Amino acid sequence: MPNMILDNFSELLLAIKEDEILKKKLIDICKLPAQQRIVEAEKLSFENKQLTLASVMHLLKNDLIANEIVKYLTETDKKTEKKFLDIIKEKPLIFIIPLIAIVIILAVMVVVKSGGKTNHPTGAMTIEVNNKLVLPTNYQSSPLVEYQKIMNEKDEQSVILKIEKFFEKFPNSDYTEDLKVKYLTLLFKTNQTDKIPIFLEKNMDYNQRYFFQKIDVLLDNNYLDYPKKLITEQLTLNYDLTTKLKLKFYLARINDLQKKYNLALHSYLEVLKDAEKTFEYYDEIFLRLSNIYRTERNDKKLENILINAANNAKDLRYKVLALMMYSELLSAKGEVKKMKDLCQQILNLPEQRITYNLLGRQFYTSYSFATFMMNKID
């Protein structure tokens, strides 16, 4: 048992030593009071599951150990680094004694609990015997603990109520913005439309994190007028080019969803004119344009868009979808040889899971589509 704990401890320190951000976080945590230290360490473990913090969490309660960790992580001299690890192996009692003490405390608590309920004074230490969470009673309502409760809750109405309470208690926590996206999604899902305008009024400032994720939720639920007004207002402000392009793309999407194709077309093309190929929505714009031309039945423009998408798309799925749509267009125009060449290109690329409707039939992969098209002509 002691060797396993010491090995895990050394492994953790060596791993963190290589990561400047994690190293600084652990140093800051070790400088906190013991009770808060455990809570923040649990949070670090929760956010960085690759770390082996859970197995040594109990050791971090010890001030001596916490101080030694800080010394080790802040010392750049390699000899000092080796010396610290040697101390761990040569003087294991430094670590074993606190562990034995914790085991004794647990045993006493179990005995006391079996004899009846014990009222602990406020601030007294409560140890959960589950090897996962060790929290003092005055930290039972930490943002991490409440966030985990919400994530583990299955009933949607209960989740909504828990999130509302979370907003009241922790309006500025690391988890608040993520929960706002979840909350908005659930309001639509549970049809609580009366709460949506109230939420949007308070939580759609562009400077807030997850702004576009919340816009995505609105568009996915065909809630279009409010985001259109909001984005139009944002476009009048002085943002950098990338932000402006992103706002224009979302405005184009809204016009597209509202079937205002001329406005959507104008915005998409305006974005393409100024965007680099590294722009995150570059590939998607080509496909949205092709859908507009397809709806409008402008075959010449559609062909140009699809050729451009197939040649320039970075995302393989978009590239293949463009080839599929172009194949259908060529088939409709009777250009059999070009269509077969495109289908062969599709078959030479990795198979993509794409649902595609054609001639009353539904295909679920790029290969099934290409094979059907080639056999149909033969």
Side-chain angles (χ1 to χ4, degrees), residues 29-265:
I29 287 170
C30 288
K31 292 179 180 179
L32 295 171
Q35 292 181 342
Q36 190 177 354
R37 189 188 307 148
I38 297 301
V39 176
E40 294 302 320
E42 174 62 25
K43 177 179 172 181
L44 183 66
S45 178
F46 178 75
E47 293 173 344
N48 300 275
K49 299 186 185 301
Q50 77 277 17
L51 301 181
T52 56
L53 266 170
S55 61
V56 293
M57 195 71 69
H58 52 281
L59 297 175
L60 288 173
K61 284 179 55 183
N62 185 283
D63 291 336
L64 176 61
I65 294 173
N67 290 335
E68 288 298 324
I69 292 172
V70 173
K71 288 180 185 177
Y72 168 69
L73 290 176
T74 53
E75 179 56 66
T76 56
D77 182 54
K78 294 296 180 183
K79 292 182 180 179
T80 305
E81 178 174 317
K82 182 177 182 299
K83 180 180 176 183
F84 179 79
L85 295 175
D86 289 341
I87 288 173
I88 294 177
K89 294 174 182 176
E90 292 172 10
K91 298 180 180 179
L93 287 178
I94 293 176
F95 300 91
I96 296 172
I97 289 174
L99 177 60
I100 293 172
I102 291 171
V103 172
I104 293 171
I105 292 170
L106 287 173
V108 171
M109 289 176 66
V110 171
V111 171
V112 171
K113 189 173 182 180
S114 64
K117 293 183 180 178
T118 301
N119 293 323
H120 297 280
T122 303
M125 185 66 71
T126 298
I127 300 177
E128 302 288 342
V129 194
N130 59 8
N131 295 323
K132 289 185 179 179
L133 193 60
V134 182
L135 293 171
T137 53
N138 59 336
Y139 275 91
Q140 288 299 314
S141 292
S142 71
L144 173 63
V145 173
E146 297 301 324
Y147 180 79
Q148 287 176 314
K149 288 179 182 177
I150 291 169
M151 292 297 105
N152 292 331
E153 178 62 63
K154 302 300 182 188
D155 181 71
E156 290 174 346
Q157 187 55 45
S158 296
V159 172
I160 288 174
L161 294 174
K162 280 184 167 66
I163 293 178
E164 288 173 348
K165 289 180 181 177
F166 187 98
F167 291 160
E168 292 175 9
K169 291 170 107 176
F170 313 109
N172 300 308
S173 80
D174 292 340
Y175 309 101
T176 301
E177 288 300 321
D178 179 55
L179 287 177
K180 284 179 181 178
V181 178
K182 186 177 182 67
Y183 182 74
L184 182 59
T185 303
L186 285 172
L187 290 183
F188 279 108
K189 195 172 181 182
T190 58
N191 201 31
Q192 298 188 46
T193 52
D194 56 318
K195 292 184 177 182
I196 293 172
I198 299 170
F199 172 85
L200 294 175
E201 194 63 34
K202 296 178 180 178
N203 297 288
M204 291 302 291
D205 178 359
Y206 175 79
N207 292 318
Q208 291 175 346
R209 292 166 59 198
Y210 298 93
F211 174 83
F212 286 108
Q213 286 189 32
K214 285 177 273 192
I215 293 290
D216 283 332
V217 174
L218 295 175
L219 301 194
D220 288 344
N221 289 278
N222 207 35
Y223 196 95
L224 306 177
D225 291 338
Y226 178 84
K228 186 172 187 176
K229 176 176 177 291
L230 179 61
I231 290 173
T232 302
E233 289 172 354
Q234 295 299 314
L235 279 168
T236 65
L237 303 178
N238 188 27
Y239 290 119
D240 60 87
L241 178 61
T242 301
T243 303
K244 284 269 191 184
L245 292 176
K246 197 167 182 178
L247 288 166
K248 284 181 181 179
F249 168 75
Y250 271 87
L251 183 59
R253 272 191 65 191
I254 293 169
N255 284 321
D256 200 343
L257 289 167
Q258 291 179 327
K259 298 183 179 180
K260 297 178 180 179
Y261 296 124
N262 285 336
L263 290 174
L265 180 64

Side-chain angles (χ1 to χ4, degrees), residues 7-19:
D7 287 344
N8 285 340
F9 203 70
S10 301
E11 185 181 313
L12 167 68
L13 293 175
L14 288 171
I16 285 186
K17 185 83 172 179
E18 301 302 316
D19 190 311

